């Protein structure tokens, strides 16, 4: 039975708990930055005095977020619990207090804010996506192809299209013949599939311009190129975006609203990829999306190698800030055991269906 606005002490957050699970991947996840064969799924639970539970997830990777399961556990047990415990989830000051509870640790902060928001949803008989203002619980995601040889990329692409994906994102490395790989994929899937590529900072600016222009001449029809150069090289990112016709999207260069503003003022990138684990939570990501909209920059919501708890929160944000976009939220598709529950999103081909309002938890 749905819970309707519980009152008094029953709403108070009594504690935070961290649960860590290692889940094997269906295939190695390979980018220019790292290779992973398993994912650590780090879930934070926020519990209230009535026993209801809200969940958030912290994406961990030393190479990407700079956080680990151990660092998240320490942050949650210490300063984040100090800020959260004893307060109600609908305390309007709570997101800001979580944000300043400790320096860095964006993924840990995000997990706690998402857990608190999920607990608030449980208390009010709603769902997080509804609290965020989304109108529809359904949205679409792309499917990522790990960096590989042209033949392997083409085989993986055909397989994902047969699974029902209409948008593919191809990871490329500096050591790869990226043009050959993308041409092979385009030949294999035909013109009806949208292709994106993600270099994960693999190229120097001059290399990026040369490779992207070669792809343009090859007629592979890319939707965009993601993070072609180093995250801190905004002049290089600006030079690439100005020199090619293909839209450029910033990912690693963008974490917060201030980063989006800097991107807008110093480059001509067309899109930004926002991630909860980078931004530090729902509130910060919403602000970043608002700045992007104000500057005419498109928003795609992305993820790490995350389980369904993390994807559900990110998809709720995506449904609220850019419902018409095909987002980058296929993390759970990589997991051998996706750890799905009736409280997480459901995944059917390229469609993500967010959970309905929760019952009494």
């Amino acid at each position: 039975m749905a819970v309707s606005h519980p009152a008094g002490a029953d709403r108070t957050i009594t504690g935070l708990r961290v649960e860590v699970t290692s889940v094997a991947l269906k295939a190695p996840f390979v980018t220019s930055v790292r290779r992973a064969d398993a994912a650590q799924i780090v879930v934070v639970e926020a519990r209230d005095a009535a026993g209801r539970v809200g969940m958030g997830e912290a994406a961990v990777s030393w190479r990407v977020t700079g956080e680990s399961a151990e660092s998240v556990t320490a942050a949650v047990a210490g300063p984040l619990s100090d800020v959260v415990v004893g307060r109600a989830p609908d305390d309007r000051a709570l997101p800001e207090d979580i944000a300043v509870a400790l320096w860095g640790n964006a993924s840990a902060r995000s997990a706690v804010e998402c857990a608190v928001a999920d607990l608030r949803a449980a208390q009010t008989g709603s769902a997080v996506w509804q609290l965020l203002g989304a109108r529809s619980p359904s949205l679409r995601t792309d499917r990522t192809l790990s960096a590989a040889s042209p033949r392997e990329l083409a085989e993986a692409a055909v397989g994902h299209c047969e699974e029902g994906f209409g948008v593919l994102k191809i990871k490329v490395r500096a050591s790869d013949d990226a043009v050959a790989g993308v041409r092979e994929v385009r030949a294999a899937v035909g013109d009806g599939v949208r292709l994106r590529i993600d270099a994960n900072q693999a190229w120097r600016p001059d290399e990026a311009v040369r490779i992207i222009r070669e792809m343009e001449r090859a007629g592979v029809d890319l939707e965009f190129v993601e993070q072609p150069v180093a995250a801190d090289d905004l002049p290089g990112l600006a030079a690439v975006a100005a020199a090619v016709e293909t839209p450029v999207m910033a990912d690693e260069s963008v974490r917060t609203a201030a980063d989006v503003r800097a991107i807008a003022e110093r480059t001509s990138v067309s899109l930004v990829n926002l991630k909860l684990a980078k931004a530090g939570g729902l509130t910060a990501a919403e602000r970043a999306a608002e700045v992007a909209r104000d500057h005419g920059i498109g928003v795609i919501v992305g993820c790490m190698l995350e389980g369904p708890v993390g994807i559900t929160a990110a998809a709720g944000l995506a449904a609220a800030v850019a419902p018409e976009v095909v987002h980058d939220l296929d993390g759970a598709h990589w997991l051998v055991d996706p750890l799905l529950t009736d409280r997480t999103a459901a995944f059917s081909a390229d469609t993500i269906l967010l959970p309905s309002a929760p019952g009494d938890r």
Side-chain angles (χ1 to χ4, degrees), residues 12 53 57 59 167 228 232 235 244 293 297 311 351:
T12 302
V53 175
E57 184 174 339
V167 181
D232 60 357
V244 301
R293 286 195 300 270
I297 296 175
I311 300 300
T351 299

Side-chain angles (χ1 to χ4, degrees), residues 16 73-84 97-98 100-103 105:
L16 300 178
T73 300
V76 170
L80 291 170
S81 285
D82 291 344
V83 164
V84 167
D97 290 344
I98 291 170
V100 300
L102 70 172
W103 186 87
N105 295 276

Side-chain angles (χ1 to χ4, degrees), residues 159-184:
H160 292 323
C161 289
E162 291 174 348
E163 293 168 354
F165 290 90
V167 181
L168 303 176
K169 186 170 86 166
I170 305 165
K171 295 285 190 178
V172 297
R173 299 168 294 193
S175 59
D176 295 328
D177 186 341
V179 178
V182 176
R183 290 181 69 171
E184 193 85 5

Side-chain angles (χ1 to χ4, degrees), residues 154-312:
E155 290 176 355
V158 170
H160 292 323
C161 289
E162 291 174 348
E163 293 168 354
F165 290 90
V167 181
L168 303 176
K169 186 170 86 166
I170 305 165
K171 295 285 190 178
V172 297
R173 299 168 294 193
S175 59
D176 295 328
D177 186 341
V179 178
V182 176
R183 290 181 69 171
E184 193 85 5
V185 170
R186 175 57 76 197
V189 302
D191 295 334
V193 175
R194 287 152 63 183
L195 299 182
R196 307 164 167 179
I197 66 169
D198 185 2
N200 287 115
Q201 313 176 69
W203 300 320
R204 300 189 311 270
D206 61 318
E207 289 178 318
V209 171
R210 175 180 58 79
I211 293 168
I212 296 168
R213 283 179 173 173
E214 191 172 344
M215 290 183 183
E216 291 171 347
R217 289 192 295 270
V220 294
D221 189 23
L222 294 178
E223 184 180 3
F224 59 73
V225 177
E226 185 173 354
Q227 199 63 47
V229 300
D232 60 357
D233 187 4
L234 290 193
L237 188 64
V240 174
V244 301
E245 296 179 6
T246 304
V248 173
M249 180 165 76
D251 179 3
E252 287 90 339
S253 294
V254 175
R255 291 180 177 268
T256 65
D259 295 330
V260 176
R261 190 171 292 107
I263 287 283
E265 293 172 351
R266 299 175 58 185
T267 79
S268 59
V269 301
S270 301
L271 306 110
V272 291
N273 189 329
L274 303 181
K275 295 184 174 77
L276 294 176
K278 295 188 302 177
L282 293 164
T283 302
E286 286 180 298
R287 286 177 180 159
E290 182 178 359
V291 171
R293 286 195 300 270
D294 289 345
H295 288 85
I297 296 175
V299 170
I300 284 179
V301 177
C303 66
M304 309 278 289
L305 280 177
E306 298 174 51
V309 171
I311 300 300
T312 299

Side-chain angles (χ1 to χ4, degrees), residues 35 63 110 152 171 178 200:
R35 172 190 169 118
R63 296 293 302 276
S110 174
E152 292 168 325
K171 295 285 190 178
N200 287 115

Side-chain angles (χ1 to χ4, degrees), residues 3-56:
V3 177
S4 178
H5 302 283
D10 281 356
R11 298 169 54 240
T12 302
I13 300 169
T14 57
L16 300 178
R17 174 176 174 269
V18 178
E19 182 174 339
V20 182
T21 307
S22 182
V23 181
L25 303 183
K26 295 175 182 177
F29 181 77
V30 183
T31 75
S32 67
V33 176
R34 61 170 176 153
R35 172 190 169 118
D37 297 287
Q40 270 197 312
I41 307 301
V42 182
V43 173
V44 175
E45 295 182 351
R47 186 176 296 272
D48 70 11
R52 288 173 292 259
V53 175
M55 297 190 297

